[in-house]
Amino acid sequence: MRLHVLGTAAGGGLPQWNCACPGCSGARVHPGWRRRHASLAVEVGDGRCFVVNATPDIADQVEQTAALHPGPGPGPRRTPLEGVVLTDAELDHTLGLARLREAEGLEVVATSAVREALTRGLCLDRTLAPYTRLTWRELTPHGGLTLGGAIEVAAVPVSGKRPRYAADLDSEADGWVAALRLTDRETGGVCVYAPAMGVWPDGLDGADCVIVDGTFWDEEEPRRTGVSSRTATEMGHLSIEATMERLAALPGRALYTHLNNTNPLADPGAPHHKVLDEVGVEVAADGMVIEL
């Protein structure tokens, strides 16, 4: 299994367009600090790829990743991007679907709750119908769904948090936020990807690699920095302080992604990086490639 880390930032990216916090200001001065919205590309064989979450940065992410480049030859049919797997229905993870409207067709893998939010709440099918054809496949905790016949994917529920636009949606569907358990059917390698998690997911112990929610360093960060009146947990994110020891105890490789612009890890020189180094947990970087 080969994974391409397309981005590692939380909503708004780093820098965020309307923010002058130390992280955003630093990223404007030091381009090496910049991070695109959290996303992942999964190679499924024969030059084909699926992207996990379609962020507002999707076009730039494609251009920065050779495995996603079209060609050779003209025309949209030669793109290796076959589809998108969604962990939730948040705008930061789905707005890129509209940006992919030039595709001849696009496979979208999502839980029933996420599909319902996007089709009923955002009217995505109706909006994109004049441009491209969306084919939906349901993502469940039971697995059995494969990407390109090579990678099995299953949903691991991690939160019932709905996106704001779907707060009043009349729906009994579940699976609003899921971690993805990706298993290489040939090698048996397992990666769990959870850019947002409100609870500790099952199944991390048996994974060769886990890439999880690093939105906030500590529980009070959102309130302390003024980005919210809620704590990290109330916003649907377990803090790094609450999870790093558990991650360090896992047998596989462990990395954080989905860093908020207020997270001190936005500064590569912050002492918080040393704390993670000492326990053996990494911070994912845009552009890194992980092979299992």
Side-chain angles (χ1 to χ4, degrees):
M1 186 189 310
R2 179 177 294 167
L3 310 170
H4 300 263
V5 179
L6 304 181
T8 54
L14 183 69
Q16 183 173 305
W17 70 274
N18 65 340
C19 183
C21 72
C24 291
S25 297
R28 292 189 178 98
V29 175
H30 307 286
W33 291 26
R34 292 174 177 255
R35 294 175 182 267
R36 295 191 174 97
H37 287 84
S39 182
L40 197 69
V42 184
E43 293 190 25
V44 297
D46 298 327
R48 297 168 298 152
C49 294
F50 278 75
V51 167
V52 178
N53 294 333
T55 79
D57 301 321
I58 185 67
D60 291 333
Q61 291 170 340
V62 167
E63 290 307 307
Q64 292 297 316
T65 308
L68 295 175
H69 288 177
R77 292 183 178 87
R78 298 184 179 272
T79 174
L81 179 54
E82 290 207 346
V84 177
V85 187
L86 300 175
T87 61
D88 54 61
E90 294 289 347
L91 294 179
D92 296 315
H93 292 162
T94 58
L95 285 175
L97 289 170
R99 184 64 181 84
L100 296 175
R101 67 187 181 278
E102 297 91 351
E104 183 178 12
L106 198 63
E107 186 173 306
V108 183
V109 180
T111 64
S112 58
V114 169
R115 177 178 181 178
E116 198 167 337
L118 293 174
T119 55
R120 291 179 55 203
L122 290 185
C123 302
L124 189 67
D125 278 359
R126 187 174 64 185
T127 301
L128 292 184
Y131 303 94
T132 189
R133 181 186 70 259
L134 298 183
T135 301
W136 294 88
R137 297 175 68 193
E138 186 172 352
L139 180 64
T140 72
H142 308 295
L145 187 154
T146 61
L147 308 178
I151 306 296
E152 183 172 341
V153 58
V156 181
V158 290
S159 175
K161 178 188 174 186
R162 299 186 180 199
R164 295 181 197 177
Y165 67 83
D168 297 326
L169 187 68
D170 181 19
S171 171
E172 296 182 358
D174 55 12
W176 287 100
V177 184
L180 301 182
R181 185 177 177 87
L182 303 163
T183 304
D184 189 312
R185 299 184 70 185
E186 181 177 349
T187 68
V190 175
C191 176
V192 175
Y193 183 68
M197 58 184 194
V199 297
W200 186 262
D202 295 329
L204 294 188
D205 291 350
D208 301 288
C209 178
V210 296
I211 308 172
V212 302
D213 190 343
T215 308
F216 300 114
W217 179 264
D218 62 76
E219 181 72 1
E220 291 296 322
E221 182 183 321
R223 296 202 290 205
R224 186 176 61 253
T225 58
V227 300
S228 176
S229 60
R230 296 174 293 168
T231 65
T233 302
E234 289 170 346
M235 293 183 69
H237 301 282
L238 294 179
S239 72
I240 290 176
E241 282 191 344
T243 60
M244 63 180 172
E245 295 293 342
R246 296 184 73 172
L247 282 181
L250 296 176
R253 186 177 182 184
L255 306 93
Y256 282 114
T257 189
H258 203 265
L259 275 62
N260 199 57
N261 54 345
T262 58
N263 192 319
L265 293 174
D267 179 353
H272 304 71
H273 288 277
K274 185 178 180 180
V275 174
L276 294 183
D277 288 342
E278 290 176 348
V279 298
V281 178
E282 303 173 59
V283 178
D286 291 23
M288 72 187 305
V289 178
I290 298 172
E291 296 201 41
L292 301 177

